[in-house]
Each structure stands twice: as C-alpha cells, then as structure tokens.
C-alpha cells in the first residue's frame, strides 16, 4: 500500500471511530428509547387546570437559576421518575345499602392498588351509583369521542336493591373504571381524579377548618398516596394536600412530621417559585427548622432572594391558604 493510500485509510478509520463515539454518547439508552414518548410528555393535558398550576407546569429551570448542577440533575431525575406511569387495579369486593331519612342507596366499596407487586398501601373509597353517573356525564362532555364505545349500567325502575342487580353492577363498575383508566387522556383528567379523591379531600378540609386536626390528618394521609399515584405527571398538583398535612402536624405539635412533609412539598416547588404556596411554605419551614434546631439559613436565603425579585404583595399564611381549599 502506497503512502497516500495509507493516509486515506487512516483518516477513514479515525472518522469512523469519531462517529461511533458521538453516537454512543448522544443516543438514548435502550430503556429510554423503549419508553413511549407519550408517557414522558406528562405535562400535556386535555383539561385546563387553574391558572397558577398551568403556569407552574410550564415552568422550567432557568440557566441563571441558583440551583447547582447537581441539584438540577437530581431535579430532572425526579421529574423523569414521576412521569413513569403506575398501573392501578380497581376491585369492588363488597357493597352496603344505606338508608338515610327518605333516601335509600347502595354504596360500592372500591379498592385501588398498584399492580405488579404486593401493595401494602392500597386505597379504599366508597361511591354510590349517582357518583358514577355524574362522572360519566362529565366525561361525555369533554371526551365524547373517546367515550363512544364505553357502556354505563342503566338504572332500572325496580329491583335496584336485589342481590342480582347489585352483583351485576359491581362487575360493571369494575370494568368501567378499568376501561377509563386505560385511556391516558381520561386517567389524567381532573374529572376522573376528582371522582376518586375529591369527596375525601372535601371532608378532610372541612375537618381542618373546624379545628379537628387529628381527623383531618387521618383522611389526608389516606388520600395522599392515591393522589400521588394518579398525578405522577403533575407532581405540583399535590402540593396543597402536602401543605394541609404540614398544617395539621404543626397544630398537633408534631414539628418533626410537619417538617418532613414540608420538605416533600418544597421539593415539588423547587423550580416553581411563582406557586401560591411557595412563600407561605418557606416561612413555615423556617419556623419549624428553628424550632427543631435545623439549618434554616438556606431557607431564609431563598426567602430573601424571592423578595428581591418580586414586587411586595400580600401573602397568606400556610394555614390561611389551607382553609380556603375546597370552600364551596
């Protein structure tokens, strides 16, 4: 081989090595490549949330953010893991007939658990036929095309309380929930999530406003696990519930537990400083950290940094914000 041919072959070899190296460093891993792109893009929702939450869901870390590279990497790892769908299973094992004054209805016990492994944190709720009926009407208004082939058990004029009809509806409602959950646009919709969580949250906040912190906390701790599973693509949406838990623990004089849940809420607001809960939560966390003998200077610095960037506005306390949730 002459010298020119040798040089040409050497250049081609170097270029090939360069291409292989570039490809190996820029191509996604098999795990990421096989993951459906629709599941990664968790912020897209058919229903418009409240204005604050909509702005927060679009927020991204600024290159001029005070977060370190390590903090940014940790944030995006958490965001990515939040977007992975958790598959849920719906079971309706039993019912009970309720007679209240002049009304009589059937309550269906719904157990919601995670598939694929033993789930010790299953959620248990109860809903009646009219609750399912309302959900169906609401979903038809927004997802008429997707709901085209979804059947709903009709109410009969007689026999609604016979064992045969009740058992038929148990199976029908189980299949109904499974089918709704299988459609991404519906399982992420506010109407579907509200059906599974709103009654319990309304009861919890009613107890909180009435000063029944122990009962409110018990309900909130039951519902927060289900909320987390249903809103993996929008972790900011559970911040109000986490903050309500902080308020309950604080008023029950459990500062360590209050601080623990406050940290969970702050981690979800790390790049959402415009969220209405951000400053009240920071102020509460500073108080708790001081009480517990923890480092509060970093929290104080974040608060001062926010004040220098924002115009002075009236900020509610964390408790004032909490008692305003779910007010009819």
């Amino acid at each position: 081989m002459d010298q020119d041919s040798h040089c040409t072959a050497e250049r081609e070899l170097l270029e090939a090595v360069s291409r292989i190296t570039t490809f190996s460093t820029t191509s996604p891993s098999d795990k990421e490549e096989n993951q459906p792109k629709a599941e990664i893009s968790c912020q897209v929702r058919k229903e418009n949330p409240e204005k604050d939450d909509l702005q927060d869901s679009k927020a991204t870390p600024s290159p001029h953010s005070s977060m370190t590279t390590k903090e940014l990497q940790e944030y995006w790892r958490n965001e990515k893991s939040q977007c992975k769908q958790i598959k849920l299973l719906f079971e309706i094992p039993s019912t009970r007939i309720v007679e209240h004054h002049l009304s009589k209805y059937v309550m269906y016990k719904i157990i919601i658990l995670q598939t694929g492994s033993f789930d010790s944190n299953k959620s248990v709720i109860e809903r009646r036929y009219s609750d399912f009926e309302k959900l169906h009407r609401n979903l038809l208004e927004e997802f008429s095309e997707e709901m085209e082939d979804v059947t709903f058990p009709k109410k009969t004029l007689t026999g609604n309380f016979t064992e045969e009809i009740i058992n038929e509806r148990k199976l029908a409602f189980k299949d109904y929930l499974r089918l709704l959950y299988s459609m991404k646009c519906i399982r992420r919709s506010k109407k579907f999530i509200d059906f599974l969580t709103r009654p319990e949250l309304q009861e919890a906040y009613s107890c909180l406003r009435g000063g029944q912190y122990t009962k409110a906390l018990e309900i909130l701790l039951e519902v927060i696990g289900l909320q987390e599973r249903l809103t993996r693509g929008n972790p900011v949406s559970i911040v109000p519930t986490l903050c309500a838990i902080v308020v309950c623990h604080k008023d029950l004089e459990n500062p360590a537990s209050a601080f623990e849940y406050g940290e969970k809420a702050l981690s979800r607001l790390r790049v959402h400083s415009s969220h209405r809960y951000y400053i009240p939560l920071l102020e509460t966390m500073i108080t708790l950290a001081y009480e517990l003998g923890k480092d509060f200077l970093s929290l104080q610095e974040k608060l001062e940094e926010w004040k220098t960037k924002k115009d002075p506005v009236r900020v509610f306390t964390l408790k004032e914000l909490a008692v305003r949730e779910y007010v009819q």
Side-chain angles (χ1 to χ4, degrees), residues 72-241:
L72 281 169
Q73 290 173 341
E74 180 185 355
Y75 170 79
W76 287 120
R77 276 197 300 269
N78 290 336
E79 284 289 290
K80 197 174 206 180
S81 65
Q82 290 289 344
C83 288
K84 294 178 182 177
Q85 181 199 347
I86 286 183
K87 293 184 179 180
L88 299 180
L89 181 68
F90 298 87
E91 295 288 347
I92 304 181
S94 61
T95 61
R96 62 187 178 94
I97 297 176
V98 178
E99 295 189 49
H100 183 67
H101 298 303
L102 299 177
S103 64
K104 183 179 179 181
Y105 53 88
V106 179
M107 293 294 289
Y108 296 85
K109 181 180 180 180
I110 307 169
I111 297 179
I112 308 162
L113 61 161
Q114 183 177 338
T115 61
S117 60
F118 175 73
D119 189 0
S120 59
N121 297 316
K122 62 185 178 184
S123 300
V124 182
I125 60 176
E126 283 190 317
R127 296 293 182 267
R128 54 189 290 188
Y129 181 94
S130 59
D131 296 325
F132 281 97
E133 194 174 36
K134 182 180 177 182
L135 170 66
H136 192 70
R137 285 198 310 269
N138 289 339
L139 291 177
L140 281 174
E141 291 176 0
E142 187 177 359
F143 304 103
S144 57
E145 186 177 339
E146 290 85 352
M147 297 284 290
E148 188 176 3
D149 297 324
V150 178
T151 58
F152 187 81
K154 301 295 183 182
K155 184 174 284 189
T156 59
L157 294 176
T158 59
N160 287 299
F161 301 100
T162 64
E163 185 177 353
E164 182 182 359
I165 293 295
I166 291 174
N167 286 334
E168 285 180 3
R169 286 184 178 165
K170 277 170 52 179
L171 295 174
F173 283 141
K174 174 185 172 180
D175 289 339
Y176 178 74
L177 290 173
R178 177 189 56 79
L179 184 57
L180 293 182
Y181 185 76
S182 69
M183 293 182 276
K184 183 172 64 176
C185 60
I186 290 180
R187 72 168 173 263
R188 291 184 180 174
S189 70
K190 186 176 184 298
K191 290 173 181 176
F192 182 69
I193 294 171
D194 278 353
F195 168 78
L196 296 171
T197 60
R198 190 177 180 89
E200 286 72 24
L201 287 172
Q202 286 177 322
E203 183 184 0
Y205 279 98
S206 177
C207 292
L208 193 157
R209 285 189 289 272
Q212 298 175 299
Y213 301 114
T214 301
K215 186 175 180 181
L217 181 60
E218 181 182 342
I219 300 171
L220 290 168
L221 290 175
E222 283 286 332
V223 77
I224 188 66
L226 179 57
Q227 264 192 308
E228 287 178 324
R229 295 172 183 183
L230 291 168
T231 60
R232 296 279 286 187
N234 183 21
V236 176
S237 64
I238 68 167
V239 166
T241 306

